[in-house]
Amino acid sequence: MFVSGTFNIVHPGHLRLLRFAAECGDLLIVGVLSDRLAVNSQLNQDLRLEGVSAISWVNFAFVLDDKPEDFVAKLRPSVVVKGREHESRANPELPILQAYGGQLLFGSGDTTFSSLELIRNESELINHSSIVRPDEFIQRHGFSVSGLESAFDQMRSLKVCVIGDTIVDEYIQCDPLGMSQEDPTIVVTPIMSEMFVGGAAIVAAHARNLGARSVEFVSVTGNDETGRYVAEKLHSCGVSSKLILDDSRPTTLKQRYRAGNKTLLRVSHLRQHKISRAIQQQALARIHDALGGADLVIFSDFNYGVLAQELVDEISKECERRKIMMVADSQSSSQTGDVSRFKGAALLTPTEREARIALGNYEDGLVVLAENLRQRANAQNVVITLGAEGLLILAKMAEEGKWLTDRLKALNIAPKDTAGAGDSLLVCTAMAMAVGRSIWESLYLGSLAAACQVGRIGNVPLSASELLVEIKKNGIHAAA
């Protein structure tokens, strides 16, 4: 199969065409027109070739400096594939193909995309931030936003240990075809997929990318390709992974089928049983090693069995003995989970639902709920996350036995993907607290991290530079 074109920026229309071509035969060769031939291209030939070569359906790609029809005469491919828009035009390859018995096929009628329009849209996203600044919150707690820049320099001194469930998130972008004629079912065709580390693994990647000098990650994965993907990705992020293989479970994989900016279906491949005592002992040995010189321990619990209560209790005792700060989040995908089991934490960040499940309390208001959770867990600070409504904060004050309650609104008024909000809030807030920032400064930074994270699709590790852009930004919208 042979396809040629400019491929100025690879977009979904290109992907559909190349997938169609790959399905027409066994070997797909793509000629990327050289700069001499592609006179209107915005990217040079090497960058355009790199984009096409990265597509898994393409077996071989090269820079084409001949006219496509001349190259077809030399290569003599069995099939040449072109876009449907060429069907009503003159096609100089056609007589050459007919002469030796080749075929000219046209990709099925797909929506076309303008590369220049994609560039404009991307520029608008960069230039028109939907992140707001909570001026009243900042004034109420008497800190300077510009003074927070130095927090990231301080974070470079931290050694962080992250413990919890590993998850891989796969986003499968689909093209909707319509309704089935047999039953009321939406029919889609997948056009591309992208994988991201998630769960506790992305917390570890966030911590390293935000500047921690060292991040140790302890978790349990299956002996499978998904687990090996996690190890490779974390290694590329600079995270030291101490992964324990458990043949009784696969590495948790969550697939999201999306069309446009909407998720149509989620499919989870997982096992939720508690890890065996033998694996707990392996984990504990690796955690003891990781705690040496640690400044911060982050429990990232998804209730998939990695953080067995016996293991949590042993780690908590060791952290207390070594005077290492602990923070925890326990996410509940069903009617299970108890964030209060992480005793003595400096910070807990459950959702309202998770706090109510932990306490069995479905009646009291948020302030009472937060106080009850604080008492049961013996926590210093409790933050109940409320999605688009922001945070309810119960914070320990300097005076003995005093706590203060406040609210902080969500800082991104137009989120794209909320899946990673809690992870980014937890890790950035905890790291700021670990370098001595007040709970109010820390939560502002954590909320800013969450606002950045939900402004894009997929769990991509946050960087300090992304947050600094928002901190330094002039003319940012203000939120009461």
Side-chain angles (χ1 to χ4, degrees):
M1 310 299 109
F2 178 66
V3 176
S4 62
T6 301
F7 300 99
N8 186 39
I9 288 182
V10 177
H11 54 61
H14 290 136
L15 295 174
R16 283 190 279 265
L17 179 67
L18 293 174
R19 183 183 180 191
F20 172 79
E23 291 173 347
C24 291
D26 299 321
L27 184 71
L28 175 57
I29 297 173
V30 178
V32 177
L33 298 183
S34 68
D35 291 341
R36 182 178 66 84
L37 296 177
V39 293
N40 293 320
S41 63
Q42 278 69 47
L43 301 177
N44 67 50
Q45 61 190 32
D46 293 333
L47 290 175
R48 292 184 284 115
L49 176 62
E50 183 179 353
V52 172
S53 299
I55 299 170
S56 60
W57 298 309
V58 177
N59 298 107
F60 180 73
F62 66 100
V63 173
L64 178 61
D65 203 31
D66 296 322
K67 291 182 179 179
E69 58 269 27
D70 293 339
F71 183 77
V72 167
K74 298 174 186 176
L75 180 67
R76 296 171 66 89
S78 57
V79 176
V80 170
V81 177
K82 302 180 77 171
R84 178 66 70 184
E85 68 273 16
H86 293 277
E87 189 171 18
S88 58
R89 303 175 187 173
N91 292 283
E93 304 94 337
L94 184 57
I96 299 169
L97 288 162
Q98 290 173 336
Y100 67 81
Q103 288 183 284
L104 178 61
L105 299 180
F106 300 96
S108 56
D110 292 313
T111 304
T112 58
F113 294 81
S114 164
S115 296
L116 288 176
E117 187 63 27
L118 291 175
I119 293 173
R120 291 190 196 102
N121 290 341
E122 184 64 21
S123 297
E124 288 178 1
L125 290 174
I126 293 170
N127 293 331
H128 301 280
S129 174
S130 59
I131 297 175
V132 298
R133 176 172 290 173
D135 286 339
E136 287 190 7
F137 179 87
I138 293 166
Q139 293 166 9
R140 198 157 55 240
H141 297 291
F143 63 87
S144 163
V145 172
S146 61
L148 297 177
E149 292 182 33
S150 59
F152 296 100
D153 292 327
Q154 295 172 302
M155 288 179 188
R156 296 194 185 107
S157 67
L158 292 177
K159 178 181 178 182
V160 180
C161 180
V162 179
I163 309 164
D165 300 281
T166 293
I167 296 171
V168 171
D169 295 304
E170 183 178 13
Y171 288 73
I172 302 166
Q173 300 294 339
C174 301
D175 189 20
L177 301 181
M179 294 290 292
S180 168
Q181 298 303 307
E182 291 79 21
D183 52 48
T185 303
I186 298 173
V187 181
V188 299
T189 181
I191 57 175
M192 66 176 292
S193 69
E194 192 169 6
M195 296 176 74
F196 304 91
V197 292
I202 191 61
V203 172
H206 282 325
R208 188 70 178 91
N209 230 35
L210 286 171
R213 65 177 173 85
S214 172
V215 178
E216 304 268 0
F217 177 55
V218 183
S219 186
V220 177
T221 66
N223 187 9
D224 50 31
E225 285 300 319
T226 307
R228 287 184 278 277
Y229 166 80
V230 172
E232 291 172 5
K233 291 298 289 184
L234 290 180
H235 177 74
S236 69
C237 292
V239 173
S240 175
S241 299
K242 301 178 184 294
L243 302 178
I244 301 160
L245 301 184
D246 184 351
D247 291 328
S248 72
R249 71 176 68 224
T251 305
T252 300
L253 173 65
K254 294 184 177 181
Q255 295 175 310
R256 291 173 173 84
Y257 290 81
R258 295 174 61 87
N261 288 323
K262 303 294 183 182
T263 298
L264 305 176
L265 175 68
R266 296 185 184 184
V267 180
S268 294
H269 307 265
L270 55 86
R271 299 275 170 77
Q272 295 178 269
H273 61 275
K274 184 173 73 172
I275 59 175
S276 67
R277 189 63 187 168
I279 290 180
Q280 288 183 46
Q281 290 301 318
Q282 291 183 55
L284 192 58
R286 299 188 188 192
I287 291 165
H288 273 289
D289 290 340
L291 292 181
D295 303 289
L296 171 65
V297 167
I298 301 177
F299 290 108
S300 182
D301 180 28
F302 286 77
N303 289 287
Y304 295 154
V306 170
L307 285 172
Q309 189 61 54
E310 305 94 310
L311 186 60
V312 170
D313 292 342
E314 290 285 344
I315 298 167
S316 299
K317 289 176 185 176
E318 190 63 19
C319 288
E320 184 178 1
R321 187 181 72 81
R322 301 191 192 202
K323 294 182 170 48
I324 301 172
M325 190 177 93
M326 296 182 298
V327 301
D329 187 22
S330 182
Q331 300 190 34
S332 304
S333 57
S334 61
Q335 295 297 316
T336 61
D338 183 1
V339 70
S340 71
R341 70 193 184 97
F342 297 94
K343 307 297 185 185
L347 176 68
L348 299 177
T349 59
T351 64
E352 179 184 354
R353 177 175 173 274
E354 290 157 359
R356 293 194 182 281
I357 289 173
L359 298 172
N361 183 336
Y362 299 92
E363 298 176 355
D364 289 326
L366 291 174
V367 175
V368 173
L369 188 69
E371 174 59 19
N372 289 347
L373 178 58
R374 182 196 68 77
Q375 291 183 17
R376 178 179 290 187
N378 190 28
Q380 295 178 36
N381 303 282
V382 172
V383 174
I384 297 180
T385 62
L386 305 170
E389 296 181 41
L391 310 175
L392 184 284
I393 305 160
L394 180 64
K396 186 176 183 180
M397 306 304 294
E399 299 88 350
E400 189 66 28
K402 298 287 186 180
W403 278 264
L404 178 65
T405 303
D406 201 356
R407 292 286 297 265
L408 175 57
K409 291 187 177 181
L411 303 189
N412 193 319
I413 58 176
K416 291 182 179 178
D417 181 7
T418 60
D423 299 329
S424 47
L425 170 75
L426 174 68
V427 67
C428 190
T429 302
M431 289 176 67
M433 291 173 64
V435 297
R437 295 292 173 152
S438 73
I439 184 64
W440 312 111
E441 293 174 304
S442 300
L443 280 168
Y444 171 72
L445 286 175
S447 296
L448 193 60
C452 291
Q453 190 67 6
V454 302
R456 56 191 175 194
I457 303 296
N459 247 341
V460 180
L462 282 165
S463 68
S465 60
E466 289 172 312
L467 271 68
L468 285 170
V469 166
E470 294 298 334
I471 289 172
K472 295 176 180 178
K473 189 184 299 179
N474 293 319
I476 194 166
H477 304 295

